[in-house]
Amino acid sequence: MKRIVIIAVLALSYLGFSQNDSQAKALLNEVSAKIKSYKNISLDFKYELTNLSENVNQETRGDVIIEGDKYKLNILGITRIFDGKTLYTISPEDEEVTISSENTEEEGTITPSKMLSFYEDGYTYKMDIVQNVKGRKIQYVKLNPMDTNSEIKHVLLGIDATTKHIYNLIEVGKNGTKTTLTVSSFQTDEPLPATLFTFDESKYSDYFINKID
């Protein structure tokens, strides 16, 4: 779940490893510059997880709004709001709100606010295949972790060659698990409510509030 939340947005920041494919570097930098030009980004996405050996096949949908370090993510019936300092995880099924500081040091955690830069360090990259998806030319860039102990075998980042927006992200694990996040709607610079990233505790008076130091 935490890894989804990260992979969950799909965008880029500047990458500067001299040993990487120069063509891939140019493409990633172009995508990064475009993403950084937006004040906010709103995504609807489909998330799929498969592991044939374990007979696992899961699919769900979610949405996320990102503005700088702040985000609001909805997935699997849970809402996560990060106001830049504090993370609020709201679970209607459990009638519980967990309040904590976002632990960006936790291994394997990629939060929406880090989506634009999670592979800035620790990955090499090169151009991969091109696919035609419903009339859209999707250019893939393959990212390989530098850490030989990483649980990730590789990541494929699919970029729309026309819009320079990210179409999907495919993460392949060494244990045979494949997670795919596909963007179904990509909106930018929308007018957002001033309180969108503000948690209103009064709305959850019947919930158990779990505060984690």
Side-chain angles (χ1 to χ4, degrees):
M1 170 62 180
K2 289 182 178 179
R3 180 159 289 172
I4 323 179
V5 175
I6 292 17
I7 287 184
V9 180
L10 308 157
L12 296 165
S13 69
Y14 178 78
L15 298 170
F17 300 118
S18 60
Q19 70 270 34
N20 289 305
D21 184 313
S22 60
Q23 190 177 2
K25 176 182 177 180
L27 177 60
L28 294 180
N29 286 345
E30 188 175 359
V31 175
S32 174
K34 193 162 189 178
I35 290 298
K36 288 179 178 180
S37 71
Y38 300 133
K39 182 178 179 181
N40 60 63
I41 300 172
S42 301
L43 300 177
D44 293 338
F45 59 87
K46 179 173 70 172
Y47 172 78
E48 301 171 273
L49 184 150
T50 58
N51 187 313
L52 297 179
S53 63
E54 299 293 334
N55 196 29
V56 174
N57 189 359
Q58 300 175 354
E59 180 177 318
T60 189
R61 293 183 180 273
D63 60 81
V64 63
I65 300 174
I66 305 170
E67 185 175 75
D69 288 336
K70 301 176 183 179
Y71 65 82
K72 183 175 182 180
L73 171 74
N74 295 298
I75 192 168
L76 297 173
I78 294 174
T79 297
R80 292 164 65 94
I81 300 173
F82 184 62
D83 62 11
K85 294 182 179 179
T86 305
L87 176 65
Y88 303 88
T89 302
I90 305 164
S91 174
E93 182 177 354
D94 299 325
E95 294 189 339
E96 180 177 353
V97 176
T98 301
I99 302 175
S100 63
S101 297
E102 188 177 49
N103 183 6
T104 57
E105 298 302 318
E106 185 175 343
E107 185 179 359
T109 298
I110 305 177
T111 62
S113 58
K114 299 298 181 183
M115 282 189 241
L116 312 185
S117 59
F118 80 91
Y119 34 77
E120 183 177 35
D121 296 308
Y123 288 87
T124 60
Y125 50 85
K126 63 180 179 179
M127 297 293 272
D128 204 86
I129 64 171
V130 176
Q131 288 188 339
N132 187 303
V133 181
K134 298 180 180 178
R136 299 168 66 186
K137 180 182 176 182
I138 306 299
Q139 171 66 64
Y140 283 90
V141 175
K142 188 174 185 179
L143 305 165
N144 292 294
M146 293 179 177
D147 182 2
T148 56
N149 294 320
S150 173
E151 296 178 0
I152 300 172
K153 184 178 180 181
H154 64 259
V155 177
L156 287 169
L157 194 64
I159 299 168
D160 187 309
T162 301
T163 65
K164 298 302 186 293
H165 288 164
I166 296 176
Y167 167 70
N168 68 350
L169 186 151
I170 303 167
E171 179 188 289
V172 179
K174 291 180 178 177
N175 64 353
T177 298
K178 182 172 78 170
T179 56
T180 303
L181 189 145
T182 303
V183 177
S184 55
S185 173
F186 189 111
Q187 304 294 327
T188 62
D189 296 340
E190 296 188 308
L192 303 179
T195 58
L196 181 64
F197 305 109
T198 302
F199 174 72
D200 185 353
E201 190 168 339
S202 66
K203 293 182 179 180
Y204 303 94
S205 57
D206 295 335
Y207 280 42
F208 173 71
I209 306 298
N210 180 21
K211 295 186 178 181
I212 301 175
D213 296 330

